[in-house]
Amino acid sequence: MTHVVLESCIRCKYTDCVDVCPVDCFREGPNFLAIDPDECIDCAVCIPECPVNAILPEEDVPADQQSFVALNAELAKKWPSITKRKPALPDADEWKDKKNKLKELIR
């Protein structure tokens, strides 16, 4: 199994998780992070680092977020690797508690 970045990451893109990843499985898009399922070793060290609880093991992804399993895999093939922490998006704090943000995803 792998871990999955969920909708709560959209328009926030906190990168605390990137610093602790031992295999550099995170990929960076304009306003979202994805996990490359071929690189993730299921170590779970990223989960407690995410301030918006946007990372879960694939088997724990809620039904309403299941599309993010395939979305992470798709975007991970297109986006570059991110290996160092960066500042969150400027308006991340405004977006961190919002729901239904998929339409805000910039591919």
Side-chain angles (χ1 to χ4, degrees):
M1 284 292 162
T2 186
H3 284 71
V4 179
V5 180
L6 304 176
E7 183 177 43
S8 53
C9 180
I10 297 172
R11 292 208 58 172
C12 293
K13 200 170 84 170
Y14 294 100
T15 57
D16 307 54
C17 52
V18 172
D19 266 349
V20 298
C21 182
V23 294
D24 301 332
C25 70
F26 284 91
R27 304 295 180 258
E28 181 183 23
N31 69 349
F32 182 70
L33 297 175
I35 291 177
D36 184 334
D38 295 328
E39 297 292 326
C40 180
I41 60 170
D42 202 28
C43 69
V45 296
C46 56
I47 293 174
E49 298 302 316
C50 181
V52 294
N53 301 310
I55 304 169
L56 287 177
E58 184 176 347
E59 64 268 17
D60 294 342
V61 173
D64 68 336
Q65 299 280 300
Q66 280 294 313
S67 63
F68 281 85
V69 175
L71 184 63
N72 273 248
E74 172 196 333
L75 297 175
K77 291 177 182 161
K78 301 175 182 180
W79 288 348
S81 179
I82 177 172
T83 59
K84 301 247 186 275
R85 186 177 183 179
K86 296 180 178 179
L89 296 176
D91 58 351
D93 287 340
E94 295 171 35
W95 283 92
K96 69 180 181 180
D97 296 321
K98 295 194 184 210
K99 304 289 184 210
N100 301 313
K101 299 191 291 184
L102 186 56
K103 65 186 177 294
E104 300 290 331
L105 177 65
I106 300 170
R107 294 172 177 251

